Structure formats: C-alpha cells, structure tokens
C-alpha cells in the first residue's frame, strides 16, 4: 500500500523525520519498501490568473493570454492548450524557472508573438505520468502569486508499505495511524465523520441469501447527484500520491474512503437495477460483463451482488459494466458490505483479476466498519456532486459475524518470552492504543481483540504485539547459557551420510522424490500394498502415500531415459508408509534402481549391460560398512514387482528387511519402461547397525587353500553350499570364495558346476595336510548328502 506522509500526519504526527518514522514502522513489522517524493524537482512556478485570452494572429491552435502572476504588471504568454480560458487560476512558470527534466523557461517568440513564461500542464510539472490533454486548472480560491509547490504541499513523500497477509487492518490510513500512534504514544485524530441525515425515504429492498459469506450489507440511495462534477484537486492529489488515478467523483470518493478507512465501497446506477439487491451464489450459465470490459462465465461457487433479474457484480472483486455509474447517472445506490475472507479468497485470481477491493477482503476487513464508511462516503459525495441522501438499509446476521475473541495474557509468560519484565501500565497502554480491551487479573490480563484484528487469537499473538510496539531494540542483549559438550558418536553404527557417500562412490546419484505417488503406478509395482490416500492431493497422479521407494525411483528413471540418458543409477533414502491412518507404520528405507551398461562408455571397457549381480555387489558393499557382513544373507524369493528367478529376499539376522531383483517384464510394460532395470530396497535401521571394528593379529604362518568343484542341480543356491562349507570347515577357516559357476558341455542338463575356494590359516602354527584333508572330506561328504552333489575332478 502507498500513502502520502502529509495525509498520515493529519491523523498522527510524531516528532520524527521521514526516514526515522519509516524505520520505526519497519521495525514494528510493517516493512517500508520505498520512500519517494510525490513530485519531481522544479522551481519558479507560482499560482497565477489568466486575465484575458485572445486568438494568436498567425496560428489557429495558439492563444495569446495576459497572466497575472502577482508581479507589478501582467505577463504576455502564448499558450497552446485547448482548455485555457480567462478567469482561470493556473500554474505559471516564470522566466528563469526550471521544470522537471532540466527544462529552463526563457523569453521566446512564437509565430512572431513574444511569450514571457509558460502556463503548465500537470504532466509538465511531473504530476501525471501520461501527457495531459490541457493545462492544470486550480481552484478559484487559489492565491495569486503563491509558490505553487507550497500551495500544493508538494514537499511530501509517498511511502510504500509491504504488509504481510495477516495485517489487512493496516491497508488504510486509519490502521497505519493507529500503529504510529501506538509506537509513539500519541493520540490519533481522525477527520469528522458525522452521520448524514436522510433527506428522503427512498430505499431499496436487500435480500442476503448467502449470509454465512456476507454477514453484513449496508446500502443507501442518493438522489440528484451530478456525476460530471469535477473532483476537487486535493482529493485527486491524495489519490495520485497513493498510486491511484482519478476517474469521476463517485469512483474517486469510494477509492478515497477505501484508502482512508480500509472499507471497499461500490456505487450502482439506481435506474439500471431491477427490483432490489440480492446477495447470492452464481447460477449455472450466468454471464457478467465487468467494468474492465471483459465478459466472463460465472462459476456456481462465486458470490454475486445481483438484482431480481441479473448479476451486477462479483462480490468484493469488481462491478459489472451495465449497472455501473455513467455520465447520465442521477441516482446512485451506494453499497458497503462485509464479505468473509473465504467468500473472496481466490475468486479474483480464478478469473484473472486482482483489485484493491479483493486484496483487502481476502485479508479481512473490519466487520463493524460498513456503516461508518458509507456515512463518510455520503458526506464527501454530497459536498462534491450534490444530491440528497436516503436512510441506511442494513441487513446483518450476527450469528455469522466473526466472534469476539477473549485472550488471556500471563505476566510471567510475557516476561519469560521477552526476557524482560515490563511495567503493567506500559503493557496495558500498548494494547489499549492498538484497540484491545484490557482488564487486569491476578496473574495478568484478560484481553478482548478488536473487530479488525483477525490475526489475534492466542497468547503468543499478544506477546508479539507488546514486543514490537515496545521495540525490539529495547530488549536486553543476552548470550545464551548452554553446555556445548560434544555428543558421543556411536562407532558401532553406520550413519545415513556414510551410506549415501558409499552409494555415490559406487556410481549412483541421489534422487529426492515426492512422498506421494500415482495410485496406478503403485498398484502396478505393489498390488497388495495398503497406504493412505490423500484427501487433498496436489494433483491426481500424486494422490497416495508411497508404500515403497520403488514407484518414485521408477518415475525418476523413466524421466531420465526419456531425456537420452541411457546409463542411469539412482538411489534414495526416505520414509515409506504402510497401513491405514489409524495404524500407520512409517519405515525409513534405502532404495536404488539402475539400468544401462556395466561401465561408463570408454575405449577400454565393453558395453556389456549390468545384471543382477552388479547391483547385488553394490548392496553387499553397504553390508560391509557395518563390519558384520556375516549377519546378512540373501535367499531366493518372489516379489510382485520382480522377475522370478532374478529376485532375492534380503535377511538381516534372519529377519526380512528388503528385496533385490530385476523388474518384472510385465511390470515394465505397465509402467512404460523400455529397458531392463535392477534395484533393491532395504531397511535403513538394519543398514545402520554394526559393530565396533577390532584389531585381529596377523598370522605369520602360511595359508592353506583347497579348491572344490561340485555338480549340483540348477535350483540349489550357491549360498547354501557356502553355508555348509563354513559350518564344517573348522575354526581356522579364514575365507570362503566362489570363483566359478559353469553350465554347458561336460555338465549334465539341469545341473551346474560350482567351484569354491577354501582358505585356512592358524594364528600360531602351520596346518598340516592331514588336518586339512580331514576337514575337506567332511565338507564334501556333507554337501553330497544334502544336495545330491557330485565332486568334479
């Protein structure tokens, strides 16, 4: 909001210069964006009177005028303005004066006629952005010879304040003056707003159907108005300095009162209204031509001002063209209403509009201001346009008006939060100057919020009010007292940061996806998943909470593939949600998904595609971080999203904590992936567990290795062979390694050859062949017995 500093000082004028007052208001939470002069610099301009006007002898569009500027003799001036007339008071730039743009006034001869000075237009003085059609005509009472800047009070500043949405009460001179008065402990002096007595009894019936959205509606008929009257210069100047353009006296007055009091008003041409006023919701198929000329189709949720035949205006946003005031208007119906913020919020933007009225109604207008605003506007209209005012017609639904809020403020709580004990009288004075009713109690105060403070509802709101008016700079500076001891680090655990670094080291990039996914995508990957559905999703394809990280990773993978990224490796950490809201489990997981070649493109590497075992190796590197990889194992398993025979259950200490595998071809078809992808998902809690690394002395004695190759059925897992070998290899087995798996010529159909390398080492002596042979025989015998294996030569 922009306002004139001089206008504000008519309400309240602290002993502060402009910048100090702006800084004070900013520190109180009402940020000042800009302070600018209301007029550009110029000199040598005075109020003058046009004594005579004659046509120029050699130019049809020029006039020769005699101008009295208060000096000893009239000045001859050649003027090209079409509206110059004898008897006018004008702004006259004397010879030697300097206008904006460093334009110096000199004696001149125009078409052979001498001209000493210049009769100025508003744009030439920097008082209008667009070129003026004629000269600036001043009121008849303007004193001849008076310095024009002083007469117009142009040594003023336009101050622009940026308000947060909760402070709609300050979108007016009245609200800003109240704040400045409270900050400086000064009284506020509003202009006279005496109610206007009725001169006739004409009224208009008012029916409010949507009372919950429009709890109060006030209207008045004013007859005999002269819409073509000229708006006073003082009023148009105040509008200009507030960033508004003068249009006609009726519109100018409603805008002026909105700026002054914060209550938007609207005037209808009474002769264009059929029956009475009806405040209702729009009906299907209704259309309205707005004041800006565009015709819109109204939606059923839109609140309207209508008569008994047609819509007239979008409530709180903009009026219609057909019922608006025109030069032919002689009787107006002036409305002032309270619309709840929910009735207007979003309506203007939904139609591509943003008006000063909607800006205020969306933030909240004082519901008790309607009658005062219409009385103020009536008095101004009668002074400017003449006419006779009728009685006020008011429709109010107190049940739907905002309730009076009672808030308790504890003195001890105030002191604790602010860190300073304030005098009880100061607290009461601050709140009272802001409009709160304050009653002292044993432990503090009972406070009643004023009708214009929609944002004051709890004790913390009152504490904030006291703090900002008292002044944040007036509170003591204290250093926090705290023990800053280092927290112990659990060496046995594996942090998420370490897990992330390991995945990055393996060539993966971290993805961050939404916690909600498309229901059809989740159903394709996890048909039996149960997860909450959002009541108000941001879009239809993000309407359910994710039961797994895989849907988000699949979507991210597809996004990259469609942008010519053939080799993709992604991982993500985050919560997954399983169950209904009344029994919801939130589990932290780490998931990964990869596709493309095994290695980045290079002259030294082949373009082989990655497979199940590449991603399995990446996963096992995470297990190793906890220093207890023996606690992990992977068993064959079936998962609805994974390819049969290429999927495994991930077990930690015997408990299922995740899955690993290749995406099922049918799943890939349903989600639109064109390539094979391998991924895993595992519990972060399990990955974060581990043990403290401990030193183990190195043996000085030689290792003994035996290689065993078994022919077993294809269905036998290698892990099962490793488990049996480890269980029967004695205490000094140091390593078990799978170094070959073969199926083909020389191996029976339906079977495979699995080669294991077993290494023993004793810490204090050399193992002999008899000991090793005995252990090898035990391993071979047990594997042959359990898996129908054959030892290959």
């Amino acid at each position: 909001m922009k306002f004139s500093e001089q206008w504000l000082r008519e309400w309240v004028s602290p002993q502060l210069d402009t910048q100090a007052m702006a800084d004070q208001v900013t520190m109180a939470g009402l940020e000042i964006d800009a302070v600018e002069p209301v007029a550009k610099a110029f000199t040598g301009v005075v109020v003058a009177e046009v004594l005579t006007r004659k046509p120029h002898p050699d130019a049809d569009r020029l006039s020769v005028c005699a101008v009295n500027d208060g000096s000893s003799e009239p000045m001859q001036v050649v003027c090209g303005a079409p509206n110059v007339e004898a008897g006018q008071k004008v702004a006259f730039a004397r010879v030697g004066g300097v206008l904006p743009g460093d334009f110096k006034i000199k004696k001149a001869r125009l078409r052979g006629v001498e001209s000493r000075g210049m009769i100025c237009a508003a744009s030439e003085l920097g008082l209008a952005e667009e070129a003026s059609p004629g000269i600036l005509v001043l009121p008849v009472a303007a004193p001849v010879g008076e310095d024009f800047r002083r007469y117009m009070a142009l040594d003023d500043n336009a101050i622009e304040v940026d308000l947060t949405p909760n402070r709609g009460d300050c979108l007016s001179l009245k609200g800003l003056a109240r704040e400045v008065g409270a900050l400086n402990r000064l009284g506020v002096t509003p202009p006279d707003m005496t109610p206007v007595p009725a001169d006739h009894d004409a009224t208009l019936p008012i029916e409010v159907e949507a009372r919950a959205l429009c709890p109060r509606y006030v209207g008045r008929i004013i007859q005999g108005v002269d819409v073509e009257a000229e708006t006073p210069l003082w009023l148009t100047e105040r509008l200009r300095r507030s960033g508004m353009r003068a249009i006609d006296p009726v519109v100018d007055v409603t805008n002026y009162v909105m700026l002054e009091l914060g209550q938007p008003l609207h005037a209808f041409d009474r002769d264009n209204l059929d029956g009475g006023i009806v405040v209702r919701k729009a009906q299907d198929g209704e259309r309205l031509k707005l004041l800006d000329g565009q015709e819109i189709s109204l939606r059923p949720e839109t609140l309207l001002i209508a008569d008994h035949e047609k819509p007239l205006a979008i409530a709180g946003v903009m009026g219609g063209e057909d019922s608006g005031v025109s030069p032919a208007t002689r009787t107006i119906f002036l409305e002032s209403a309270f619309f709840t913020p929910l009735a207007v919020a979003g309506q203007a933007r939904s139609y591509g509009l943003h008006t000063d009225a909607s800006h205020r109604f969306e933030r909240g207008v004082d519901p008790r201001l309607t009658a005062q605003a219409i009385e103020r506007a009536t008095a101004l209209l009668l002074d400017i346009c003449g006419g006779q005012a009728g009685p006020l017609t008011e429709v109010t639904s107190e049940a739907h008006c905002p309730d009076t809020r009672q808030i308790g403020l504890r003195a001890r709580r105030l002191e604790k939060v602010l860190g300073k004990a304030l005098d009880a009288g100061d607290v009461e004075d601050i709140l009272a100057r802001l409009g709160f009713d304050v009653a002292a109690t044993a432990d503090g105060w009972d406070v009643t919020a004023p009708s214009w403070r929609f944002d004051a509802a709890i004790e913390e709101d009152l504490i904030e009010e006291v703090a900002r008016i008292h002044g944040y700079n007036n509170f003591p500076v204290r250093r926090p007292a705290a023990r800053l001891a280092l927290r112990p680090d659990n060496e046995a655990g594996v942090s998420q940061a370490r897990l992330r670094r390991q995945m990055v080291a393996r060539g993966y990039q971290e993805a961050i996806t939404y916690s909600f996914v498309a229901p059809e995508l989740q159903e394709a990957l996890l048909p039996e998943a149960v997860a909450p559905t959002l009541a108000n999703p941001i879009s239809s394809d993000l309407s359910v909470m994710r039961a797994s990280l895989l849907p988000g990773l699949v979507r991210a993978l597809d996004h990259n593939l469609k942008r010519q990224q053939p080799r993709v490796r992604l991982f993500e950490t985050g919560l997954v949600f399983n169950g209904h809201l009344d029994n919801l489990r939130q589990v932290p997981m780490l998931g990964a998904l990869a596709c493309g070649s095994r290695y980045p493109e290079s002259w030294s590497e082949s373009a082989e595609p990655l497979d199940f075992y590449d991603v399995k190796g990446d996963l096992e590197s995470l297990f190793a971080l906890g220093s207890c990889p023996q606690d992990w194992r992977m068993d064959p398993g079936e998962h609805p999203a994974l390819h049969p025979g290429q999927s495994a259950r991930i077990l930690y200490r015997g408990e299922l904590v995740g899955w690993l595998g290749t995406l099922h071809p049918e799943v890939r078809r349903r989600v639109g992936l064109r390539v094979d992808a391998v991924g895993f998902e595992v519990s972060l809690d399990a990955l974060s567990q581990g043990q403290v690394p401990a030193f183990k002395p190195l043996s000085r004695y030689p290792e003994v290795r035996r290689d065993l190759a078994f022919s077993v059925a294809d269905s036998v897992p290698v892990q099962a062979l490793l488990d049996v070998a480890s269980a029967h290899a004695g205490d000094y087995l140091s390593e078990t390694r799978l170094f070959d798996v073969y199926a083909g010529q020389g191996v029976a159909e339906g079977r495979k050859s699995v080669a294991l390398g077993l290494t023993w080492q004793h810490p204090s002596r050399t193992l002999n062949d008899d000991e090793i042979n005995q252990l090898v025989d035990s391993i071979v015998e047990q594997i042959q017995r359990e898996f129908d294996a054959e030892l290959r030569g």
Side-chain angles (χ1 to χ4, degrees):
M1 175 183 171
K2 184 184 289 187
F3 63 93
S4 160
E5 179 185 353
Q6 289 184 357
W7 191 7
L8 175 65
R9 288 186 182 274
E10 290 182 9
W11 287 71
V12 58
S13 186
Q15 298 300 312
L16 299 171
D17 61 26
T18 303
Q19 191 58 52
M21 185 172 67
D23 293 342
Q24 184 187 58
V25 171
T26 296
M27 286 302 296
L30 311 177
E31 182 180 357
I32 300 299
D33 274 355
V35 178
E36 299 175 345
V38 299
K40 298 177 181 178
F42 59 83
T43 60
V45 181
V46 298
V47 176
E49 180 180 6
V50 180
L51 300 177
T52 62
R53 172 188 175 274
K54 298 178 181 179
H56 192 287
D58 294 325
D60 294 339
R61 296 186 179 181
L62 298 179
S63 302
V64 180
C65 302
V67 176
N68 174 20
D69 66 347
S71 56
S72 58
E73 61 180 19
M75 298 291 177
Q76 179 174 284
V77 178
V78 177
C79 179
N83 65 326
V84 64
E85 296 289 346
Q88 291 175 335
K89 298 291 180 67
V90 296
F92 177 69
R94 291 169 169 166
V95 173
V98 180
L99 299 186
D102 198 28
F103 180 72
K104 296 180 180 179
I105 305 300
K106 302 177 182 178
K107 291 182 181 180
R109 297 188 70 85
L110 301 177
R111 293 290 185 94
V113 177
E114 185 181 50
S115 180
R116 294 186 294 166
M118 176 178 174
I119 303 175
C120 301
S123 58
E124 293 166 336
L125 296 171
L127 302 182
E129 294 183 2
E130 300 178 357
S132 303
I135 61 170
L136 176 63
V137 180
L138 304 179
V140 176
V144 173
E146 176 81 5
D147 181 84
F148 181 75
R149 290 192 70 91
R150 183 165 55 250
Y151 170 72
M152 291 290 292
L154 293 179
D155 294 325
D156 185 14
N157 293 294
I159 301 176
E160 187 170 359
V161 58
D162 185 14
L163 299 172
T164 51
N166 65 311
R167 292 310 305 273
D169 61 294
C170 290
L171 285 168
S172 65
L173 260 293
K174 181 179 181 180
L176 289 169
R178 182 169 49 237
E179 292 287 314
V180 174
L183 288 167
N184 295 280
R185 296 196 172 189
L186 295 175
V188 177
T189 306
D192 178 48
M193 299 187 189
T194 305
V196 177
D199 293 327
H200 61 82
D201 58 0
T203 60
L204 198 66
I206 298 172
E207 180 183 352
V208 180
E209 295 180 359
R211 297 203 168 197
L213 301 178
C214 179
R216 180 169 284 125
Y217 189 96
V218 181
R220 161 178 273 164
I221 291 177
I222 304 177
Q223 299 175 345
V225 295
D226 180 10
V227 178
E228 295 185 293
E230 186 176 356
T231 303
L233 184 59
W234 65 267
L235 197 153
T236 59
E237 263 299 288
R238 286 189 172 176
L239 292 178
R240 181 186 72 83
R241 298 178 194 189
S242 300
M244 287 190 170
R245 182 171 57 89
I247 299 174
D248 63 55
V250 176
V251 175
D252 295 344
V253 164
T254 57
N255 284 337
Y256 181 85
V257 173
M258 178 180 68
L259 291 172
E260 186 178 56
L261 301 180
Q263 172 68 53
L265 304 167
H266 188 68
F268 299 98
D269 187 328
R270 172 64 183 90
D271 295 335
N272 291 334
L273 304 183
D274 296 315
I277 292 292
V278 182
V279 184
R280 59 173 175 82
K281 292 286 192 72
Q283 300 171 359
D284 286 337
E286 283 191 302
R287 299 183 66 82
L288 176 64
K289 189 174 184 180
L290 298 173
L291 285 171
D292 63 0
Q294 67 170 314
E295 186 173 357
I296 59 173
S297 179
L298 298 168
R299 291 186 292 274
E301 68 272 14
T302 303
L303 184 66
L304 294 182
I305 308 299
D307 59 21
H308 289 159
E309 298 294 333
K310 61 187 179 298
L312 305 174
I314 301 177
V317 178
M318 185 180 287
E321 184 178 78
D322 295 337
S323 61
V325 174
S326 68
T329 300
R330 292 295 174 265
T331 302
I332 65 172
F333 176 75
L334 190 62
E335 84 166 10
S336 177
F338 169 66
F339 304 111
T340 62
L342 289 178
V344 182
Q347 290 296 333
R349 287 188 297 275
S350 69
Y351 290 108
L353 303 171
H354 180 76
T355 63
D356 292 301
S358 67
H359 186 76
R360 286 163 172 79
F361 279 122
E362 286 175 347
R363 286 153 177 77
V365 173
D366 184 0
R368 302 188 184 279
L369 190 61
T370 49
Q372 183 186 37
I374 206 169
E375 293 285 9
R376 174 66 167 158
T378 301
L380 291 171
L381 282 171
L382 296 183
D383 287 343
I384 298 170
C385 303
Q388 302 83 41
L392 291 182
T393 304
E394 181 172 344
V395 177
T396 301
S397 175
E398 292 293 346
H400 296 101
C401 287
D403 295 330
T404 302
R405 293 174 301 284
Q406 303 286 338
I407 311 167
L409 176 59
R410 295 165 291 173
R412 292 185 62 183
R413 175 65 176 167
L414 180 68
E415 180 180 353
K416 180 178 180 181
V417 173
L418 300 184
K420 179 181 179 181
L422 299 182
D423 183 75
D426 291 341
V427 175
E428 293 171 7
D429 181 70
I430 288 172
L431 294 175
R433 289 183 182 277
L434 291 173
F436 294 86
D437 290 332
V438 186
T441 63
D443 62 347
W445 302 270
D446 281 339
V447 181
T448 303
S451 56
W452 58 83
R453 288 304 297 269
F454 292 87
D455 60 319
I458 58 177
E459 185 178 33
E460 283 71 16
D461 296 329
L462 299 181
I463 295 173
E464 179 188 3
E465 294 301 300
V466 173
R468 67 184 188 84
I469 300 300
H470 179 72
Y472 296 118
N473 292 335
N474 295 324
F475 289 102
V477 177
R478 296 178 180 174
R479 294 179 177 86
R483 292 180 66 251
L484 301 178
L486 295 175
R487 292 183 298 175
D489 187 16
N490 180 14
E491 294 184 63
V494 181
S495 67
Q496 288 192 31
R498 191 177 175 196
L499 293 169
R500 290 190 183 101
R501 287 196 297 269
Q502 178 65 15
M503 291 298 292
V504 172
R506 302 289 292 193
Y508 288 77
Q509 291 183 321
E510 184 172 10
I512 300 175
T513 66
Y514 286 113
S515 295
F516 20 88
V517 297
E520 60 274 8
L521 177 60
Q522 182 148 288
E523 195 275 335
L525 292 164
L526 306 163
E528 298 180 0
V530 177
T533 300
L534 300 180
N536 187 24
I538 58 176
S539 65
S540 59
D541 60 343
L542 296 171
S543 60
V544 297
M545 302 302 292
R546 64 186 180 193
S548 165
L549 298 177
L550 283 179
L553 289 172
V554 166
R555 190 168 184 172
L557 180 68
D558 182 57
H559 181 85
N560 281 272
L561 290 173
K562 289 178 178 177
R563 283 153 182 82
Q564 293 79 49
Q565 300 298 316
R567 184 176 186 271
V568 182
R569 281 162 168 73
L570 299 173
F571 80 95
E572 181 176 14
T573 59
L575 293 175
V576 300
F577 306 87
N578 292 282
H580 297 289
L581 284 176
D582 55 354
N583 187 28
L584 185 64
R585 291 185 302 111
Q586 303 181 53
V587 184
M589 303 290 284
L590 185 149
L593 199 61
C595 71
S597 60
R598 177 171 294 149
Y599 304 108
E601 186 177 8
S602 170
W603 63 271
S604 62
E605 303 290 350
S606 62
E608 295 179 358
L610 66 77
D611 58 22
F612 174 92
Y613 296 102
D614 294 309
V615 178
K616 180 174 179 286
D618 297 332
L619 178 59
E620 288 174 337
S621 74
L622 299 180
F623 299 161
L625 295 178
S627 301
C628 49
Q630 67 278 3
D631 291 339
W632 296 84
R633 65 179 293 120
M634 292 183 225
D635 288 344
E638 293 187 2
H639 187 280
L642 303 179
H643 197 303
Q646 297 184 39
S647 60
R649 302 187 309 151
I650 304 172
L651 304 175
Y652 179 71
R653 295 177 181 174
E655 181 181 351
L656 178 66
V657 293
W659 288 87
L660 163 70
T662 304
L663 287 184
H664 196 291
E666 177 60 22
V667 171
R668 285 199 299 108
R669 185 191 65 79
R670 292 184 62 182
V671 301
L673 280 181
R674 304 184 303 274
V675 299
D676 284 334
V678 185
F680 64 82
E681 186 174 25
V682 61
S683 166
L684 266 176
D685 290 340
L687 285 174
S688 299
Q689 298 183 40
Q691 64 184 19
V692 178
F695 173 73
K696 182 179 180 182
L698 299 177
S699 176
R700 295 182 298 169
Y701 298 92
E703 295 178 341
V704 179
R705 172 165 172 154
R706 295 288 188 271
D707 293 341
L708 303 175
F710 296 97
S711 173
V712 297
D714 285 337
S715 59
V716 175
V718 171
Q719 184 64 51
L721 299 176
L722 294 173
D723 291 342
V724 171
S726 298
H728 293 82
D731 296 332
Y732 306 117
L733 181 70
S734 60
E735 184 180 19
T736 305
R737 182 185 297 275
L738 170 69
F739 67 87
D740 184 55
V741 177
Y742 171 74
Q745 187 176 358
V747 178
E749 186 177 354
R751 297 178 73 84
K752 62 186 176 183
S753 173
V754 179
L756 307 178
L758 308 176
T759 302
W760 287 265
Q761 188 177 33
H762 198 283
S764 58
R765 64 181 178 85
T766 301
L767 295 171
N768 57 54
D769 287 343
D770 291 339
E771 292 176 293
I772 299 302
N773 291 337
Q774 185 177 355
L775 293 173
V776 169
D777 291 341
S778 175
I779 292 171
V780 171
E781 180 182 353
Q782 191 64 29
I783 289 178
Q784 288 176 333
R785 181 184 305 116
E786 290 192 22
F787 303 109
D788 190 25
E790 297 177 1
L791 185 65
R792 300 186 67 205

